[in-house]
Amino acid sequence: MDNRPTFIAALLALVVVTAQAQDLDTCRPKAERILTAAQSHTPEGIDSLLAPGFRFAEIKQPTAARVLKQIIAQMPAIAGWELAQAGQDSTGLTLRYTLTKPDGTTSQATLLFNADNLLLEADLLNADISLRKATPTGKAQPGVSMVPIPVHRYGGLPIVGVTIDGRPCNMFLDTGAPGVILNSKYFDHNIEGQVMGSGGHGVVGTGSVSGLHHVTSMDMSGISLGETDIMTSDLSNLETVGIAVHGILGQSFYKDFDVLFDFKRGEIVLLNPDTTRQWLQDEGYSFRTVSGARKGHLLAFDCRVGGIPAVLAFDSGAQTNLLATDWPLQHPSSVKGIREGHLIGYGDGRASVTKGKTTLTLGGRTFKKQRTAFSDVSRLKEGKGIDGLFGCEVLGRQKLLISYRRQELLLID
């Protein structure tokens, strides 16, 4: 019997495992050098650990390195840390640490290393997110946790109510943002030191990080954020929707939960991932599972636009679907009703774009007459291999659940 194929397969598996182990052995000391710098508030000497494309909360170089150093210089006290999780995918090696403070409370830090074992992304200000209370539905079984949260749409943007230090606030629910950002119009820079600079990038526009605001408590229908420091930026451009927008509620606030979007009922539901399917079953829902892949902080899915394959990421902050500027030229038969328009984005973002309507197929389900904008998506394409975004156009027609833990999407009937 010829055992060569088995031997080769085993050898390849050994090579892959060895490569991953080498990455961890190389990257872990670098990650802990960053944490040691944060513990001692001495950011000097970290530049050699950073990738040329290093970014911090969507801020690009060279500003990203300056912001990281400012964060390190004014981090809350750290007594110690423990590696909680290490995972490798197409974006690189992600190390997640549990940081312990002197009073015994904990927070999270996430560091992403590229193929060259250099730091590509860092999130050192992830505070603990906890489910303080849960309101089971009448049909839910004991231990099945769910929290319904009202969501209102203003100018197409999903807005949820959050209480920050006892103050009611309107927050833009944006899964395309990795973290929480507060509007500097309402939250001043109240921490010693300076964190200034342009470089925060959305698909449309560039914002400036104006500082850090110390938050004692932040609560959304029982989902609480522990005491932490949150970046501030000028978000006044988002207030064209006609209400005060106090900030952006990005993934760090709810990524540990499964999130069900039900725009027709005007709510989202945060679910314990361990009991999501039990809850759906008890509620009488049927659903179709669509597997995705993590691309940085985004979840991307294989789709078809007018029958043409495209990798699109889910972004609840996308008012319209988004594809590359040249898509109508490359695939003219897939776009109808082309016209000129504009997009409003982060910071100073207001871009003239081409708009039209497309047909999107996701998980075997077809959504016709999808409003779609065609803009520069090179940041998504080059960095993550993503062809575009889908969001509110689908959410307005389809009840949908996104699971960051399982890297999947559920189309719910």
Side-chain angles (χ1 to χ4, degrees):
M1 186 172 105
D2 189 349
N3 290 321
R4 283 177 297 174
T6 303
F7 172 76
I8 292 172
L11 181 60
L12 288 174
L14 178 62
V15 170
V16 171
V17 171
T18 302
Q20 292 179 344
Q22 287 173 338
D23 282 344
L24 180 59
D25 290 343
T26 302
C27 295
R28 184 171 182 175
K30 294 182 179 181
E32 295 183 1
R33 278 182 62 187
I34 296 288
L35 297 179
T36 300
Q39 185 181 46
S40 60
H41 301 121
T42 53
E44 293 77 17
I46 68 168
D47 295 274
S48 62
L49 307 177
L50 307 183
F54 172 74
R55 50 190 180 270
F56 188 98
E58 295 300 285
I59 302 167
K60 294 184 178 180
Q61 289 283 50
T63 308
R66 294 199 298 270
V67 171
L68 177 61
K69 290 177 182 179
Q70 291 287 348
I71 297 296
I72 286 174
Q74 54 200 27
M75 278 282 290
I78 302 172
W81 55 80
E82 182 177 358
L83 180 63
Q85 185 180 16
Q88 195 161 21
D89 59 19
S90 59
T91 61
L93 178 67
T94 300
L95 303 182
R96 292 185 173 87
Y97 283 86
T98 299
L99 309 184
T100 303
K101 301 174 185 177
D103 62 2
T105 60
T106 60
S107 64
Q108 306 299 315
T110 303
L111 300 101
L112 172 66
F113 289 84
N114 67 9
D116 296 322
N117 300 324
L118 293 173
L119 188 63
L120 186 61
E121 292 182 8
D123 186 357
L124 303 181
L125 294 176
N126 258 349
D128 279 342
I129 305 292
S130 60
L131 183 59
R132 264 200 346 220
K133 65 181 181 182
T135 309
T137 65
K139 297 180 182 178
Q141 300 299 315
V144 179
S145 302
M146 56 82 70
V147 177
I149 299 164
V151 59
H152 304 280
R153 296 180 69 188
Y154 294 90
L157 297 181
I159 303 292
V160 295
V162 172
T163 301
I164 300 176
D165 291 341
R167 173 184 182 180
C169 296
N170 300 315
M171 300 290 282
F172 170 32
L173 183 68
D174 185 5
T175 63
V180 179
I181 303 174
L182 296 178
N183 193 342
S184 58
K185 179 179 177 180
Y186 305 104
F187 295 91
D188 60 349
H189 171 57
N190 63 2
I191 296 176
E192 246 182 83
Q194 294 286 322
V195 179
M196 296 288 293
S198 172
H201 294 266
V203 174
V204 179
T206 299
S208 62
V209 176
S210 56
L212 290 170
H213 184 87
H214 184 75
V215 171
T216 303
S217 66
M218 186 170 174
D219 181 273
M220 180 175 68
S221 298
I223 307 299
S224 62
L225 176 69
E227 186 170 357
T228 190
D229 304 324
I230 301 177
M231 289 186 178
T232 61
S233 182
D234 181 8
L235 304 177
S236 56
N237 200 53
L238 297 177
E239 296 191 317
T240 56
V241 298
I243 63 166
V245 178
H246 296 90
I248 294 174
L249 198 66
Q251 271 186 43
S252 62
F253 197 80
Y254 41 80
K255 64 180 174 61
D256 294 329
F257 303 94
D258 287 351
V259 187
L260 187 154
F261 293 84
D262 191 349
F263 277 8
K264 289 184 179 179
R265 292 184 60 178
E267 70 177 11
I268 63 170
V269 180
L270 300 186
L271 295 157
N272 181 337
D274 293 330
T275 53
T276 290
R277 291 177 184 265
Q278 175 73 49
W279 182 83
L280 291 171
Q281 179 182 337
D282 292 337
E283 292 293 310
Y285 290 127
S286 59
F287 55 87
R288 182 178 304 182
T289 302
V290 185
S291 297
R294 186 176 291 279
K295 305 284 187 179
H297 67 281
L298 298 171
L299 282 186
F301 302 87
D302 291 330
C303 303
R304 286 185 174 271
V305 179
I308 300 159
V311 176
L312 303 183
F314 173 70
D315 180 359
S316 68
Q319 293 173 272
T320 68
N321 296 345
L322 187 69
L323 289 167
T325 304
D326 63 355
W327 182 278
L329 296 176
Q330 298 290 332
H331 312 288
S333 63
S334 68
V335 185
K336 307 295 183 185
I338 294 177
R339 60 183 178 85
E340 297 303 311
H342 67 270
L343 286 178
I344 296 173
Y346 174 49
D348 60 1
R350 184 182 175 93
S352 296
V353 297
T354 301
K355 291 186 174 182
K357 291 188 177 181
T358 60
T359 297
L360 172 66
T361 301
L362 168 66
R365 187 159 296 179
T366 298
F367 303 90
K368 297 182 178 180
K369 297 182 179 179
Q370 294 276 289
R371 293 185 306 148
T372 305
F374 304 95
S375 184
D376 180 10
V377 295
S378 57
R379 182 178 64 87
L380 298 173
K381 185 71 175 177
E382 295 169 6
K384 301 180 174 71
I386 295 172
D387 297 312
L389 304 173
F390 70 94
C392 290
E393 277 294 286
V394 171
L395 292 175
R397 306 183 193 185
Q398 172 69 55
K399 188 179 298 184
L400 179 153
L401 182 143
I402 195 86
S403 176
Y404 294 102
R405 179 190 290 184
R406 295 188 299 275
Q407 298 185 37
E408 67 183 20
L409 173 154
L410 304 184
L411 298 172
I412 299 175
D413 297 317

